[in-house]
Amino acid sequence: MAILQNLWWYLVLIGVMIMIHELGHYWAARLFDVKVETFSFGFGPRLFGFRRGETDFRFSAILFGGYVKMLGEQPGEEARDPRSLLAKPRWQRMFIAFAGPGINVILAIALLTGLYMVVYEKSPNPTSPVIGFLTPDGAAAKSGIQEGDQIVQIENTVDPSWEDIELKVAASAKHPLEVWVKRNGERLHIPVTPSMEEQQGIGMAGWLYEMPVKVGGYSDRVHAAERAGIQRGDILVSINGKPMRAIPAVNEAIHGAGGKAVDVVVRRGDKEIPIQVQPEKGEVAGRERWMIGISLDPNIVVTKLPFNEAVAASVKRNGQFAGLIFKFLGGLVQRRVSPKSLEGPFRIAQMSGEAAREGAVPFLGLMAAVSLNLAIFNLLPVPILDGGVMLMLFLEMLMRRDLDLKVKEAALKIGFVFLMMIVVFVIYNDLSKMLGPS
């Protein structure tokens, strides 16, 4: 059932992306009076559709993309018809090529703007976050970073947000990052070399930022906390004298006590209340652990943004996503990021189903991310993609003449082979991630 749900939500997500992208090309072509012969959802043989005016709107057999066929767009086609694409000035053809990715960017911004007007999670540490938890054998801990350190600079970014930090870490596996922290009023320089997360192929530092931890509810099987008097909504301040700055720190402190009673301090309203709790044995993911029977939530402030602030936040967030994508591409070339970080149709289908089951907000957020990824991918200077078309047009504008027909045809063939290699790789990569190591 989950597989069918994943497939359905993937078709919904990718269907919107394809439709919006091709509508960008279609509307731009109509703007400059280029004859559009076919608007196809999918490739291959026509399954069904309808004709409106001079355009055949169709669904084709291979639902893996789509295209808009314009009169005179293929190399070697005649440009005598004034409504042919090749009869139009190069700047108009460049605009038509850019319109597809461009409208995907607009969609990404619009989706996040709408979400932020309904739900916006406001970080308690918008800049210069404090480290709340370290994985004992993680890259940050090995470098000398300590819980309670405040990150005041990473590389050339001063007063970074946590998003800034995570983007740099993800794109810098096995590559030293210059980090400055403030500890006890002293500014310290501590280089951190993120490790490679093998399955996803991205950099990991093994740290989390400080965020107050709130008791969200009780366990169905372990009732130690409820019996001891811990209440929903309590903020966990410390366990056995150690400050609790992140959810993993709570779990480690309780399990690390080895079954002994733990001294918990909670904040309830404006009071701090000490409570002693006796952990009990429970099971998490098939493994026994000492637990006190509470579910934990990060104490995130959820608000709504007015339209102008939502637009600004959306543009900033999409800019950060775009920066991450370009860093990944650069990392791939420099071999600092593994190709395993690329996601293909199977993984996107899996993520689509998971996001949809969580609700509309995660699904629309994923749709915005996929739309931005699709835009940037199509802008790559690969001949068969929109970016390749724009590159050849730009070269022709510089030379003030058309490129040789044989050069164009060879470039398209190379681009097609390259694109097919990418498709085969990401499908293999998806299956490897989903099936796990053999």
Side-chain angles (χ1 to χ4, degrees):
M1 181 60 74
I3 294 176
L4 292 177
Q5 288 179 345
N6 292 350
L7 177 61
W8 165 252
W9 288 112
Y10 170 75
L11 291 175
V12 171
L13 182 141
I14 206 68
V16 172
M17 296 301 100
I18 294 170
M19 193 67 66
I20 289 294
H21 182 91
E22 299 306 333
L23 277 173
H25 293 310
Y26 175 78
W27 286 331
R30 293 294 303 272
L31 175 67
F32 296 119
D33 194 31
V34 174
K35 182 179 179 180
V36 179
E37 298 176 331
T38 306
F39 186 113
S40 179
F41 187 93
F43 297 102
R46 185 182 193 273
L47 295 179
F48 59 90
F50 62 93
R51 190 166 196 89
R52 183 172 180 181
E54 60 193 9
T55 304
D56 176 24
F57 294 87
R58 66 169 68 167
F59 280 80
S60 299
I62 306 172
L63 298 176
F64 188 72
Y67 65 93
V68 169
K69 172 67 172 66
M70 290 168 263
L71 176 65
E73 68 174 317
Q74 297 300 323
E77 292 185 353
E78 293 292 332
R80 296 174 184 173
D81 191 316
R83 299 187 64 209
S84 165
L85 179 66
L86 292 176
K88 302 300 179 181
R90 292 189 181 93
W91 71 267
Q92 292 185 4
R93 285 182 267 162
M94 187 173 288
F95 184 90
I96 292 170
F98 175 76
I103 202 168
N104 279 123
V105 174
I106 293 171
L107 176 64
I109 293 172
L111 284 170
L112 288 191
T113 297
L115 287 180
Y116 292 163
M117 292 175 68
V118 177
V119 177
Y120 182 74
E121 295 182 352
K122 192 173 182 181
S123 170
N125 296 303
T127 59
S128 300
V130 173
I131 297 299
F133 178 76
L134 291 166
T135 303
D137 58 348
K142 290 178 179 178
S143 300
I145 299 290
Q146 298 179 10
E147 291 183 15
D149 285 351
Q150 183 180 22
I151 301 178
V152 294
Q153 183 175 343
I154 181 166
E155 295 290 300
N156 58 350
T157 304
V158 180
D159 295 329
S161 66
W162 189 252
E163 288 79 10
D164 295 329
I165 295 167
E166 287 293 87
L167 293 180
K168 289 183 182 294
V169 168
S172 301
K174 301 180 181 179
H175 179 75
L177 287 173
E178 303 301 321
V179 179
W180 285 263
V181 303
K182 185 178 289 185
R183 182 187 299 165
N184 299 324
E186 184 180 1
R187 182 183 170 96
L188 303 175
H189 174 223
I190 305 177
V192 176
T193 302
S195 59
M196 175 77 78
E197 201 286 317
E198 291 301 328
Q199 188 175 20
Q200 298 298 326
I202 61 175
M204 300 287 288
W207 56 17
L208 289 174
Y209 70 101
E210 181 180 66
M211 181 175 290
V213 180
K214 181 173 65 176
V215 177
Y218 301 119
S219 167
D220 292 334
R221 298 183 179 179
V222 177
H223 306 283
E226 188 175 8
R227 284 197 301 266
I230 293 179
Q231 299 180 9
R232 290 184 177 88
D234 285 350
I235 304 297
L236 296 182
V237 177
S238 68
I239 295 178
N240 289 340
K242 182 180 180 180
M244 293 293 102
R245 298 188 173 101
I247 289 175
V250 176
N251 297 327
E252 290 300 318
I254 294 169
H255 182 68
K260 297 179 181 178
V262 292
D263 294 317
V264 181
V265 176
V266 302
R267 185 167 64 248
R268 189 177 299 159
D270 57 356
K271 297 181 180 179
E272 291 193 355
I273 304 170
I275 302 173
Q276 188 174 79
V277 186
Q278 176 60 55
E280 302 173 10
K281 276 286 182 70
E283 189 175 293
V284 178
R287 299 175 61 185
E288 277 197 342
R289 290 185 65 89
W290 290 103
M291 308 167 65
I292 62 174
I294 53 176
S295 61
L296 303 172
D297 298 322
N299 192 29
I300 298 173
V301 177
V302 179
T303 185
K304 299 179 182 179
L305 296 181
F307 176 73
N308 59 330
E309 292 183 21
V311 171
S314 176
V315 170
K316 180 180 178 181
R317 187 62 172 165
N318 278 287
Q320 290 174 331
F321 282 153
L324 174 61
I325 295 168
F326 285 118
K327 284 181 183 293
F328 272 173
L329 293 174
L332 286 170
V333 174
Q334 300 169 24
R335 302 182 69 180
R336 291 190 287 107
V337 175
S338 169
K340 292 181 180 180
S341 60
L342 298 173
E343 306 284 13
F346 290 104
R347 277 285 295 140
I348 295 174
Q350 187 178 41
M351 291 189 293
S352 299
E354 291 170 354
R357 285 188 286 273
E358 290 179 23
V361 171
F363 185 76
L364 293 176
L366 176 65
M367 184 178 286
V370 172
S371 187
L372 185 65
N373 273 271
L374 180 63
I376 292 175
F377 178 76
N378 272 280
L379 287 173
L380 294 178
V382 177
I384 201 170
L385 300 177
D386 297 323
V389 173
M390 294 170 65
L391 176 61
M392 287 193 286
L393 286 169
F394 179 71
L395 292 175
E396 289 181 346
M397 291 169 75
L398 290 178
M399 297 186 302
R400 297 186 178 181
R401 63 178 177 82
D402 288 346
L403 289 169
D404 186 86
L405 180 59
K406 292 183 179 179
V407 172
K408 289 184 178 181
E409 289 177 341
L412 287 174
K413 290 177 182 177
I414 293 171
F416 178 78
V417 171
F418 174 79
L419 188 61
M420 289 302 100
M421 290 173 61
I422 293 292
V423 169
V424 171
F425 173 79
V426 296
I427 289 175
Y428 169 79
N429 195 37
D430 281 358
L431 294 175
S432 299
K433 290 178 184 178
M434 294 169 69
L435 299 177
S438 57

